[in-house]
Amino acid sequence: MIIPWYYTTNANSYLVVTGGGIDDVKIVKKAMVQPWHNVSYISISPFDFEITLQAMTIEKLQFSLPAVFTIGPNDESDDKKKEALKKYAKILTGKGNPSKSTNTGYNHVQDIVKGIIEGETRVIVSGMTMEEIFKERQVFKTKIVENIQEELNQFGLKIYNANVKELQDTPGSEYFQFLSRKAHEGASNQAKVDVANARMIGEIGEAEKKGKTRQEISKIDAATAVLETQRKSEKAQADAELTTTQTKLNMGIKLAQIQATRQAESKDAELQRDVETKRGEMELERRRATDLVHAKIERESAQQKADAKLYADTKGADGAYYKQKQEAEAAFFRKTKEAEAAFYARKKEAEGISEMAKAYGDMAAVLGGPQGLLQYMMLQDGTYEKLANANANAIHGLQPKISVWNNGAGGEGGGAQDPMAPMRNLYQSLPPLLETIREQTGITPPTWMANMGPPSPSRGESSREVVPRKGKMVNGDGRNGSA
């Protein structure tokens, strides 16, 4: 008789059942296990991974990154997450290779997790600067957790907690030490500044309180003085009002007496004035009637003249406007036609130049290129003749002196046998040489060397050709000279 066994597990564990009737792996808390089934326990308690990673930032700064990760199987209630427990159970229990024990599988998982943590952390650190890692510590931690979790999903694991400790210097590096020293000095200097600011605020507040006290005292003293002055002023004003009232009463009595006298006189003058007024009004009405008639006549006459002048000015202005309008239209029409004619002339001139350029291009092709065309155009324009005339005019009037001499020794054929020929040639060439130097430079040789006689006419007046022949020298003027 086959008796099944009933298995249960603790709250932090699961049963992994495999065998007959189970396709893959069955993850349960309790189960009735048959003899042909295999049962193992897996714990879902998370475990810590403490690593110290040597990493390098994007600025090629090396540092040590100690961190602790709490990782465990992904235990969720829905069916989809059960697949994560199955993956974890297979890796942990060594399914597919029965020779591996549970401890071996657990160590293997630790090696995989450490490799994933180190790899993903180095990738993230290599893309960030040291300043970003410091200032955005939460972002840095979030990136590490997200990237590592993506890799751990394929093993059915979950990160429960990640604690990135303070960054440390690698051996031989003092980067964080210098940063700490800089922060300490900055905090110390800021504290000094804060103390100075607090002392300044206290002194300013004390001075303000003292000033306000003095101001309030001054206000009270001033208010007291004002009240005393007001009371004195009110008393003086009452005395003045009493004196004024008495004076007014006395003045009223005197004014009443004077007024009675003046009223009698005024009444008499008023009666006389009325009489004169009546007389003036009568004369005024008479003159007004006369002037009114004359004014009406003058106004009507002036109005007729103004109407006539307005009509004449209006018609003159209309005529001038019409004339100016016609002249402006005529000038506009003339300028328009002139511009059109100038445009047409320029257009035709441009077309002519274009056709001429095409003709010159064809002519250049016939004459063998631009050089041939240039020579042809220079011949057509007489450029060569003009250049020759210009060159001739440039040297016109110049009378250069040219001296050519020859000892003539080589022409007789006997100089080779005469031993005195070199000396004779030298003496034959010396006189014409000295003469040429004197004529062309004005330098006369000393008398001990040669007596040259009087100088020839001024330089530039004649040219001379000296050709010694057989001991004779022929001058440019046809005279013979002795060598």
Side-chain angles (χ1 to χ4, degrees):
M1 181 178 178
I2 299 175
I3 300 175
W5 290 84
Y6 186 77
Y7 285 85
T8 60
T9 183
N10 297 326
N12 63 339
S13 301
Y14 275 94
L15 291 173
V16 180
V17 183
T18 58
I22 299 174
D23 295 335
D24 188 11
V25 176
K26 185 178 180 180
I27 306 295
V28 292
K29 280 287 186 178
K30 55 185 181 295
M32 188 68 71
V33 180
Q34 303 296 334
W36 53 84
H37 290 163
N38 186 14
V39 180
S40 60
Y41 293 89
I42 59 172
S43 175
I44 60 173
S45 298
F47 40 89
D48 294 333
F49 291 90
E50 185 173 357
I51 61 172
T52 301
L53 178 65
Q54 302 292 329
M56 181 182 294
T57 65
I58 194 172
E59 302 132 327
K60 304 297 185 296
L61 295 176
Q62 292 185 353
F63 64 95
S64 177
L65 178 64
V68 178
F69 292 88
T70 302
I71 300 174
N74 193 352
D75 180 24
E76 298 292 341
S77 59
D78 57 355
D79 295 336
K80 182 178 180 182
K81 297 302 180 181
K82 291 293 184 182
E83 296 297 328
L85 278 176
K86 289 182 180 180
K87 293 179 181 179
Y88 175 71
K90 292 177 183 179
I91 296 172
L92 181 61
T93 57
K95 186 179 184 318
N97 189 359
S99 63
K100 290 185 178 181
S101 64
T102 301
N103 292 333
T104 303
Y106 181 75
N107 294 332
H108 180 59
V109 170
Q110 284 187 328
D111 295 338
I112 293 175
V113 171
K114 287 184 178 180
I116 292 173
I117 293 173
E118 291 179 356
E120 294 299 325
T121 304
R122 284 196 177 98
V123 169
I124 295 172
V125 170
S126 64
M128 298 179 68
T129 63
M130 189 67 73
E131 191 70 18
E132 291 175 347
I133 294 175
F134 266 105
K135 290 185 177 180
E136 301 178 3
R137 181 66 65 88
Q138 187 62 35
V139 176
F140 174 62
K141 177 181 176 181
T142 304
K143 286 184 179 180
I144 292 177
V145 172
E146 289 178 353
N147 289 14
I148 295 174
Q149 184 61 56
E150 289 181 1
E151 296 296 328
L152 293 179
N153 287 335
Q154 58 185 329
F155 300 101
L157 297 174
K158 176 183 177 181
I159 298 177
Y160 288 92
N161 183 37
N163 183 17
V164 179
K165 299 181 180 180
E166 291 298 329
L167 305 182
Q168 300 176 0
D169 287 319
T170 57
S173 174
E174 298 180 353
Y175 179 79
F176 294 107
Q177 183 178 355
F178 289 148
L179 284 182
S180 177
R181 189 181 305 169
K182 176 183 177 182
H184 178 72
E185 294 295 334
S188 177
N189 294 332
Q190 186 61 38
K192 293 179 182 179
V193 172
D194 293 340
V195 171
N197 287 334
R199 185 181 296 111
M200 178 187 68
I201 292 170
E203 292 177 356
I204 292 173
E206 182 180 359
E208 287 180 352
K209 294 300 182 182
K210 290 181 179 179
K212 287 183 178 180
T213 302
R214 293 178 181 177
Q215 291 175 5
E216 293 299 328
I217 294 173
S218 300
K219 287 180 180 180
I220 294 171
D221 294 339
T224 303
V226 169
L227 290 175
E228 291 178 355
T229 304
Q230 287 179 352
R231 295 295 178 267
K232 293 178 180 180
S233 176
E234 290 174 356
K235 182 179 180 301
Q237 186 175 2
D239 295 339
E241 288 179 355
L242 177 60
T243 304
T244 302
T245 303
Q246 292 177 352
T247 304
K248 285 181 178 181
L249 291 174
N250 296 329
M251 182 179 64
I253 295 171
K254 293 180 180 181
L255 286 176
Q257 296 174 354
I258 296 171
Q259 187 175 7
T261 305
R262 294 291 185 268
Q263 282 180 355
E265 295 175 355
S266 174
K267 190 64 176 179
D268 182 49
E270 184 178 353
L271 293 174
Q272 293 180 0
R273 184 189 61 190
D274 292 340
V275 174
E276 296 296 331
T277 301
K278 294 298 182 181
R279 290 177 182 177
E281 288 177 357
M282 291 175 61
E283 183 66 20
L284 178 63
E285 291 297 331
R286 185 182 66 80
R287 291 184 179 184
R288 181 179 296 172
T290 303
D291 294 340
L292 180 61
V293 173
H294 291 295
K296 285 183 178 180
I297 294 172
E298 291 178 358
R299 181 179 64 81
E300 292 177 357
S301 176
Q303 185 175 1
Q304 293 295 330
K305 293 179 181 179
D307 292 341
K309 187 176 184 301
L310 175 62
Y311 180 78
D313 293 342
T314 303
K315 292 300 180 181
D318 293 340
Y321 169 74
Y322 182 75
K323 180 180 179 181
Q324 292 178 358
K325 181 179 179 182
Q326 294 298 325
E327 290 177 354
E329 291 178 353
F332 174 74
F333 180 77
R334 181 172 64 256
K335 292 293 183 180
T336 303
K337 292 301 180 182
E338 290 177 357
E340 291 177 354
F343 171 73
Y344 184 76
R346 294 294 184 184
K347 181 178 180 182
K348 291 299 181 182
E349 183 180 352
E351 292 177 354
I353 293 174
S354 177
E355 294 297 331
M356 187 181 295
K358 292 180 181 178
Y360 280 145
D362 297 338
M363 188 179 295
V366 173
L367 295 176
Q371 188 64 29
L373 176 61
L374 179 62
Q375 293 177 358
Y376 174 76
M377 294 179 68
M378 292 176 69
L379 289 173
Q380 289 293 108
D381 294 340
T383 305
Y384 291 111
E385 295 178 4
K386 295 177 181 177
L387 291 175
N389 291 331
N391 293 331
N393 292 330
I395 64 173
H396 180 69
L398 298 179
Q399 296 179 358
K401 290 185 178 183
I402 303 174
S403 299
V404 180
W405 63 85
N406 187 5
N407 53 26
E412 297 179 358
Q417 292 78 14
D418 189 0
M420 297 300 294
M423 295 296 297
R424 184 172 63 251
N425 293 337
L426 176 61
Y427 279 99
Q428 288 178 352
S429 61
L430 187 60
L433 176 61
L434 296 176
E435 179 69 18
T436 301
I437 291 173
R438 185 176 67 175
E439 291 180 353
Q440 295 187 1
T441 65
I443 299 174
T444 303
T447 56
W448 58 266
M449 180 180 291
N451 189 5
M452 302 299 296
S456 60
S458 62
R459 290 178 295 168
E461 294 180 356
S462 63
S463 62
R464 173 179 296 178
E465 181 181 0
V466 181
V467 183
R469 294 180 181 175
K470 297 181 180 181
K472 300 290 185 178
M473 182 174 64
V474 180
N475 297 328
D477 55 2
R479 295 178 296 175
N480 293 334
S482 176

